[in-house]
Amino acid sequence: MASLLDSLERSRLLKDREAAREVLNPAEPPHVSLLRLCDAGLLEGGLTVAFGVRPDELVGPLTMAMGGAAKRFKVVDVRERPRLELHVLAGETSERWEVEDLWTLVHNLNSLYREAPDVRAIALLGEWNDALQLLCVDKRALPKLLRERFFAPQNREALEREQERP
């Protein structure tokens, strides 16, 4: 586990190394350890989202964790029928998003802020303890993190595609 903790510290993602040691189980695969650390609140930019949380309820905490320009993101209106639709305002950009689930919200936010260097990318780490584990990562640290064995986000392909953009 030392290498995982070392990597997380180098990436400035680990809040408390000693607390992390207590949480981790050396017999677990590293990506499971990352889920466990996120769930314990030991990752900078980590969010644990209970099942049943709606996308419109997650927008505020998620955009705050993304930082930068995302902090000024606004939900202007919410429509529930026939599908959940958010009318959003980001700077001068006004859009309507159909968001069926949290994964769609994450995708839309990552796409909206892909060109903003001050906004962290959202990685879907997976599910742990009946909750979705998310990690907001500085885009400059993302290429190195994507090469790490322990980092296996469910939206890896989308994050890699964003890195390939000029």
Side-chain angles (χ1 to χ4, degrees), residues 41 59-60 72 132 147 166:
V59 165
R72 295 183 295 280
L132 183 63
R147 291 189 300 271

Side-chain angles (χ1 to χ4, degrees), residues 31-56:
H31 71 278
V32 172
S33 295
L34 193 62
L35 291 170
R36 189 182 286 276
L37 289 169
C38 190
D39 182 59
L42 294 170
L43 296 179
E44 291 291 340
L47 291 169
T48 297
V49 184
F51 290 133
V53 168
R54 294 167 26 132
D56 57 316

Side-chain angles (χ1 to χ4, degrees), residues 63-134:
T63 54
M64 291 308 284
M66 292 172 75
K71 288 182 177 181
R72 295 183 295 280
F73 182 90
K74 290 185 172 84
V75 175
V76 179
D77 192 20
V78 178
R79 303 288 173 152
E80 295 187 26
R81 302 212 190 281
R83 291 195 178 117
L84 185 64
E85 181 182 274
L86 304 180
H87 179 197
V88 302
L89 184 62
E92 300 297 317
T93 303
S94 175
E95 297 180 353
R96 292 192 184 277
W97 293 350
E98 277 190 17
V99 285
E100 297 176 20
D101 52 31
L102 300 179
W103 291 264
T104 305
L105 176 65
V106 166
H107 170 78
N108 287 358
L109 286 169
N110 275 340
S111 293
L112 180 65
Y113 290 108
R114 74 175 153 256
E115 303 292 329
D118 65 331
V119 177
R120 294 177 197 94
I122 310 161
L124 290 161
L125 298 181
E127 299 172 6
W128 186 260
N129 279 346
D130 296 326
L132 183 63
Q133 307 299 322
L134 305 175

